[in-house]
Amino acid sequence: MIKKINRLKKFGIYQDFSWNDLDDFKEKNLIYGWNYSGKTTLSKLFQNLEFKDKNKYFSGAEFSFTTEKDNLETTHSQDDLENFSFDVKVFNSNYIKRVFTFDLPNSDIQPISFYLGDPSGELDKKIKHLEKKKSQLENIKENRYQKIVDEFNNYNKTNGKFTSKAKEIRENYLDNKLDQNKLNKAIVKQIADRIKPDLPQYILSAINKEKTKSKAIAENTFDAQNEDFSFLENLETLINEVKSILEETAPKSIPFPALDKDKALFDWVQSGIKLHKNETECKFCTNTLPENRMSDLNSYYSKKLQEIQTAIASVRAKIKEENKKLEIKFPDKKNLENSFQVDYQKAIENYSETVKKYKTQLKILEKDLDRKTSNYFNNIFASEIELISLKADFEVIIKSVKAHNVWLDEFDENKKKSLNKILEHYIAEYLQAENYNLKENNKDLALNIISNINSKISINKTDKLLLESQLKSSVKGQKELNDILEILLHRNDIRIEISNNKFTLKRNGHPANNLSEGEKSAIAFAYFLTELKSLRNDEPPKLPKTIVFIDDPISSLDSNHIFQIRLLLHNFFKVKDFAQLFISTHNFEFFSVMLDTKLMGRIDKITSENKRPLYFIKRDDDNNSIIKKLPKAFSSYKSEYVGLFHTIKEFNDLANKEDFPNLLILPNAVRRFLELYTLMKYPSDTEVDNRVKQVFNPKDKPLYNTKLLHWFSHQNQFEKVQQHDDKILQIGDAISELLEYIKTKDSLHWKGLNEE
């Protein structure tokens, strides 16, 4: 329901209204205001909500209101009426005008006819128009936009374009290396969706295409190769050891020139010493060994000499071992994947060249040792040696083998990537040639248009069903309307009959014309209640989400109809199956009897008067309508006249009149009281001026002030008073003298007003 109207700006007489601290609207609300105060204008605001048209009344106006639904508050403005979640039904003078239409505009007799739920009276024409519009929409959809959608859908349909393209790629581009499970229309569609935002990015150059294709269809025929090659280089160590040996010398105690000159003899004698230990004869010639021969030879071949000889033998063994370590068996280059063979072979060749250099340095070391064996007793210089390293060559060889093994480990994954890459290439070329993205964009636009067309067709269908249901509901509506009319008019001479699925008013069996304004109001109100009842009886019921606003239902009706209207409203709205109810009126008697229905709540121990949903509409000093809480004086009395009397008497009795809470409505209250008082005193005259002259004697003191009070009855002058015309300063005296006149000249009446 609507809780409050936050703001109304430039909405007719509501030039700048704000809710401020006014109590929230309730489920049922009663609004009172004098003529021209702004009640009907307020009902037009609700009609803007009813038609969800912010410009239906007062184009350019601004308004904001707060609703509550399911304990959730929402604020709406004139710009989001489509989101307003309630339906609205408004009865006011504009509704009465909409109900009545004339079927025979060129006839002297114009019987009034109308349709239930369709004041325009052209349901059949509307239905035919909707049928024609539906046919046009379907023709546009099928012959223009659905063709675009169908053409694009041909790509992904069974045996469509993507199916054909998948087959072409498998057979013509990839040498039948893929089966249908690995490349079909679904996979082509998946790839197409992924690459379509930037097709040129996926198209390969001719060289890259061939390389990628080769990888994509390659078969693996290789094994992993040993990559654990190690060689601990000892050349530098051997160089140092040889140099150390060359620098060593063996001491000689006794000279043996023959041994010094003949190396073979030197070696032969050194070996023979060991054979002649503790011997006295030469085992070669059997001659007796000279005395001291063995001791002299032992002195010649010293311990240091033996150490040098041992060191030379040891280094020779190391050199031999170093040469043996260089004999490494590397994998055959054919065992490596083709792309690694060139680098690998070059690395092997470089290694072989380095090995040759390495062995050359070892041979130089051996020659230096040979020179030392011919000169144990002297220090000799070492030959120049180049320090050769095999480390760099080993690293290149191992790197190539490792690269092969990594390639082998990643073969399946790389093949998969290459396959995806080449497929993206082929499909990107295809989509580009097909203008696929443009066609898809056209398809999306077509689908959006088709969706809009379908929505319009759906709305069209709903509207047509609604119109047809309104036609079919006419028989039931006839009885409902006639029952309510009989209650309202308190007679049955005016009846509603059905003719060509429309209602025709008959008076005593003849077409009704020249209806009075009161009869039109009664018929329109009966029609309005019948519409509400149809909402209540719908499946599902629509009334529970409908806000109802009824403005002056007794307008143009005499006082005899007040209780009929009261009865109809009470009986209808005592069932709480509607979202919210607003009733506004300028008729105090009707206002009073509506209070008696207790529809707007009642005063009891827990509910004070100021808690009831009673509101008052009036104009402020700036001629701007405002809504406020109904002053207690208006709800405390059964008669408008008595209520007005107590309002102006309360003002008159105040010492400080500037603090009077209803000061702004005082001029209207006084003016209205004067009209009613003179009408009661002299009812035969309809002119207020004449009644004033008859009621007040020219000699009576309040005559002038009474004329001043009557001056307020003219709206244009009243507005001037509200704009601080100096006459407002005289209203206190005018009220005082008027009340004094009634008290002294009409004492019985005074007692009655004061309940004495």
Side-chain angles (χ1 to χ4, degrees):
M1 65 179 184
I2 296 175
K3 293 194 68 177
K4 55 186 175 182
I5 301 170
N6 302 312
R7 189 181 185 192
L8 281 173
K9 187 174 183 180
K10 297 181 180 179
F11 196 89
I13 194 66
Y14 294 91
Q15 285 298 299
D16 193 8
F17 167 73
S18 296
W19 191 259
N20 297 324
D21 297 327
L22 188 60
D23 292 343
D24 290 350
F25 285 134
K26 305 298 188 299
E27 181 182 57
K28 290 171 285 190
N29 306 274
L30 186 58
I31 302 171
Y32 177 69
W34 292 309
N35 279 331
Y36 310 109
S37 61
K39 300 185 307 305
T40 300
T41 302
L42 182 63
S43 73
K44 290 178 180 179
L45 171 66
F46 281 75
Q47 282 188 298
N48 282 16
L49 306 184
E50 178 179 4
F51 293 97
K52 289 184 169 50
D53 180 2
K54 67 178 181 180
N55 294 318
K56 184 169 182 61
Y57 295 106
F58 308 112
S59 177
E62 299 176 16
F63 51 87
S64 169
F65 54 96
T66 299
T67 63
E68 179 181 316
K69 187 175 183 181
D70 300 326
N71 296 320
L72 179 65
E73 287 193 2
T74 306
T75 298
H76 296 277
S77 72
Q78 70 279 352
D79 295 323
D80 68 341
L81 297 184
E82 290 300 323
N83 299 322
F84 184 55
S85 58
F86 294 94
D87 294 327
V88 179
K89 294 294 294 183
V90 177
F91 177 85
N92 59 11
S93 56
N94 287 336
Y95 178 88
I96 298 172
K97 294 176 183 177
R98 291 205 321 272
V99 164
F100 292 92
T101 60
F102 294 93
D103 283 348
L104 302 173
N106 298 320
S107 172
D108 293 334
I109 300 176
Q110 298 179 327
I112 299 170
S113 304
F114 54 92
Y115 293 91
L116 179 61
D118 177 48
S120 68
E122 297 184 351
L123 285 179
D124 188 58
K125 184 187 296 184
K126 287 184 177 181
I127 291 172
K128 289 179 180 178
H129 174 72
L130 290 175
E131 290 174 345
K132 181 179 179 181
K133 186 176 180 181
K134 177 186 176 185
S135 178
Q136 292 173 339
L137 290 172
E138 289 178 339
N139 182 59
I140 293 172
K141 180 180 75 171
E142 295 299 327
N143 295 324
R144 185 181 304 175
Y145 298 105
Q146 191 60 47
K147 284 184 177 181
I148 297 174
V149 175
D150 292 342
E151 180 184 356
F152 183 81
N153 289 342
N154 189 44
Y155 283 103
N156 200 40
K157 73 178 184 180
T158 302
N159 297 323
K161 289 186 175 183
F162 282 163
T163 300
S164 299
K165 192 62 184 178
K167 182 180 180 182
E168 180 183 1
I169 294 173
R170 291 196 310 269
E171 296 178 354
N172 299 341
Y173 300 163
L174 298 180
D175 304 334
N176 283 316
K177 297 292 185 181
L178 296 181
D179 60 30
Q180 191 171 355
N181 292 329
K182 293 183 179 178
L183 184 61
N184 49 43
K185 75 176 180 68
I187 295 174
V188 172
K189 175 67 165 58
Q190 183 181 15
I191 295 174
D193 288 342
R194 185 173 69 250
I195 69 175
K196 64 186 180 182
D198 189 6
L199 294 177
Q201 174 188 342
Y202 297 93
I203 297 177
L204 305 173
S205 66
I207 295 175
N208 284 339
K209 181 183 75 171
E210 291 304 318
K211 288 175 64 176
T212 305
K213 175 182 175 181
S214 297
K215 292 179 181 179
I217 63 177
E219 298 293 338
N220 178 25
T221 59
F222 299 95
D223 296 320
Q225 300 298 312
N226 178 34
E227 59 186 52
D228 187 16
F229 304 113
S230 63
F231 178 78
L232 182 60
E233 298 176 354
N234 293 315
L235 180 58
E236 186 175 6
T237 301
L238 292 172
I239 291 172
N240 292 332
E241 289 183 4
V242 169
K243 183 179 180 183
S244 178
I245 291 172
L246 295 177
E247 292 174 350
E248 292 287 346
T249 59
K252 295 186 292 183
S253 300
I254 299 174
F256 283 96
L259 294 177
D260 292 338
K261 295 178 181 179
D262 191 341
K263 184 178 184 306
L265 180 61
F266 179 91
D267 292 338
W268 182 79
V269 173
Q270 188 178 24
S271 300
I273 290 176
K274 297 177 182 179
L275 297 175
H276 291 81
K277 186 178 180 180
N278 299 324
E279 296 289 336
T280 58
E281 291 183 354
C282 176
K283 290 188 176 185
F284 178 72
C285 66
T286 69
N287 291 327
T288 301
L289 295 172
E291 185 179 1
N292 297 327
R293 173 65 72 182
M294 293 303 296
S295 61
D296 290 342
L297 288 173
N298 282 329
S299 296
Y300 181 82
Y301 291 102
S302 64
K303 182 179 180 182
K304 182 65 175 178
L305 176 60
Q306 293 177 0
E307 289 177 354
I308 293 173
Q309 290 175 331
T310 300
I312 290 172
S314 174
V315 172
R316 286 185 184 278
K318 291 179 180 179
I319 292 174
K320 182 179 180 180
E321 180 64 25
E322 193 77 0
N323 277 298
K324 186 177 181 180
K325 288 194 302 180
L326 291 171
E327 297 174 0
I328 299 174
K329 185 173 180 59
F330 292 107
D332 191 305
K333 73 172 184 178
K334 294 180 180 179
N335 294 335
L336 272 65
E337 197 273 331
N338 297 341
S339 61
F340 305 110
Q341 290 182 8
V342 174
D343 290 342
Y344 176 74
Q345 183 61 32
K346 185 176 181 180
I348 293 295
E349 291 172 356
N350 290 339
Y351 172 78
S352 298
E353 291 298 319
T354 306
V355 166
K356 289 178 182 179
K357 294 178 182 179
Y358 196 95
K359 287 183 176 182
T360 298
Q361 307 311 309
L362 292 178
K363 287 180 180 180
I364 294 173
L365 292 176
E366 286 178 327
K367 288 180 180 180
D368 280 353
L369 291 175
D370 288 343
R371 287 192 299 117
K372 186 63 177 178
T373 58
S374 299
N375 195 353
Y376 291 120
F377 303 105
N378 295 304
N379 184 328
I380 64 176
F381 291 104
S383 300
E384 188 72 26
I385 300 294
E386 182 183 358
L387 192 60
I388 304 298
S389 176
L390 297 165
K391 183 178 180 181
D393 294 322
F394 266 107
E395 287 178 351
V396 175
I397 293 171
I398 293 171
K399 181 180 179 182
S400 296
V401 177
K402 279 183 176 290
H404 164 81
N405 289 338
V406 169
W407 171 86
L408 198 63
D409 291 339
E410 297 176 349
F411 177 82
D412 291 338
E413 183 63 26
N414 287 332
K415 181 176 181 178
K416 181 179 178 181
K417 289 181 179 178
S418 297
L419 179 60
N420 287 338
K421 195 172 182 180
I422 196 65
L423 289 178
E424 288 172 346
H425 165 80
Y426 291 138
I427 294 171
E429 278 189 329
Y430 172 69
L431 296 180
Q432 196 171 63
E434 287 280 308
N435 276 329
Y436 181 85
N437 285 338
L438 177 61
K439 291 179 180 178
E440 184 175 38
N441 185 59
N442 290 339
K443 179 266 299 183
D444 291 339
L445 291 174
L447 283 176
N448 187 51
I449 294 173
I450 288 173
S451 177
N452 291 336
I453 290 174
N454 286 337
S455 296
K456 291 179 180 179
I457 290 175
S458 178
I459 294 171
N460 180 293
K461 181 179 179 181
T462 302
D463 290 345
K464 184 182 175 206
L465 289 174
L466 179 61
L467 293 174
E468 290 174 343
S469 66
Q470 289 175 0
L471 288 175
K472 294 175 183 178
S473 68
S474 59
V475 174
K476 182 177 180 181
Q478 176 189 12
K479 183 178 185 307
E480 298 287 350
L481 277 169
N482 284 328
D483 289 346
I484 298 174
L485 270 179
E486 189 169 347
I487 294 174
L488 277 175
L489 300 177
H490 207 59
R491 63 182 195 270
N492 59 8
D493 59 323
I494 294 181
R495 306 290 291 173
I496 291 174
E497 297 181 4
I498 298 175
S499 176
N500 297 322
N501 285 321
K502 63 184 177 183
F503 291 163
T504 301
L505 286 171
K506 297 289 185 71
R507 190 196 301 271
N508 295 320
H510 300 285
N513 53 77
N514 298 325
L515 291 172
S516 69
E517 292 302 315
E519 288 173 328
K520 288 182 180 180
S521 294
I523 293 168
F525 189 66
Y527 183 82
F528 182 76
L529 288 182
T530 305
E531 280 194 299
L532 295 183
K533 193 166 184 179
S534 70
L535 296 178
R536 171 177 284 168
N537 295 331
D538 275 342
E539 289 295 339
K542 295 185 180 66
L543 192 60
K545 69 168 192 173
T546 301
I547 296 173
V548 181
F549 193 108
I550 301 174
D551 177 43
D552 263 337
I554 63 164
S555 177
S556 302
L557 297 175
D558 57 39
S559 59
N560 294 329
H561 294 89
I562 289 178
F563 288 94
Q564 283 90 341
I565 297 288
R566 171 194 180 278
L567 175 65
L568 289 169
L569 289 174
H570 180 267
N571 288 340
F572 189 91
F573 291 105
K574 68 181 180 181
V575 180
K576 296 183 179 181
D577 61 349
F578 51 91
Q580 197 172 16
L581 172 64
F582 294 86
I583 299 176
S584 65
T585 183
H586 75 287
N587 187 295
F588 191 84
E589 187 177 0
F590 177 67
F591 171 81
S592 179
V593 298
M594 286 309 301
L595 283 181
D596 288 341
T597 65
K598 309 303 182 186
L599 279 175
M600 309 303 161
R602 63 180 71 201
I603 304 174
D604 53 31
K605 293 180 180 179
I606 61 173
T607 305
S608 60
E609 175 67 24
N610 61 6
K611 294 296 183 181
R612 302 175 80 188
L614 308 176
Y615 300 89
F616 181 58
I617 296 180
K618 71 179 190 67
R619 295 193 184 190
D620 61 14
D621 286 342
D622 297 322
N623 198 28
N624 174 50
S625 283
I626 61 172
I627 306 170
K628 59 179 291 184
K629 191 68 180 175
L630 185 77
K632 186 177 180 180
F634 288 89
S635 58
S636 300
Y637 302 100
K638 297 293 184 182
S639 165
E640 178 186 17
Y641 177 71
V642 176
L644 291 170
F645 170 78
H646 283 275
T647 297
I648 60 179
K649 185 176 184 298
E650 180 184 358
F651 169 79
N652 189 61
D653 293 343
L654 286 174
N656 188 359
K657 292 181 171 51
E658 292 181 357
D659 295 333
F660 184 57
N662 294 313
L663 185 62
L664 293 178
I665 69 169
L666 188 63
N668 254 352
V670 175
R671 184 257 313 159
R672 180 63 175 160
F673 178 79
L674 177 63
E675 288 181 352
L676 295 175
Y677 178 72
T678 58
L679 183 63
M680 174 188 64
K681 298 292 287 183
Y682 196 73
S684 62
D685 201 319
T686 59
E687 292 294 329
V688 179
D689 289 337
N690 295 334
R691 295 203 303 266
V692 167
K693 292 178 181 179
Q694 294 296 329
V695 172
F696 298 102
N697 191 292
K699 296 180 180 181
D700 290 332
K701 189 175 183 180
L703 178 61
Y704 170 76
N705 286 334
T706 304
K707 292 182 179 179
L708 172 67
L709 296 178
H710 173 56
W711 182 82
F712 288 117
S713 67
H714 298 283
Q715 185 62 38
N716 59 340
Q717 293 175 327
F718 172 57
E719 291 168 359
K720 293 196 317 185
V721 173
Q722 288 185 316
Q723 296 169 7
H724 305 292
D725 190 288
D726 59 1
K727 290 183 175 61
I728 191 65
L729 302 176
Q730 305 175 40
I731 193 170
D733 292 338
I735 290 174
S736 175
E737 301 224 1
L738 174 62
L739 295 182
E740 182 63 26
Y741 173 86
I742 297 174
K743 182 177 181 181
T744 57
K745 300 290 187 177
D746 203 349
S747 59
L748 183 62
H749 187 53
W750 176 267
K751 289 182 181 180
L753 288 173
N754 286 277
E755 300 180 356
E756 295 178 358

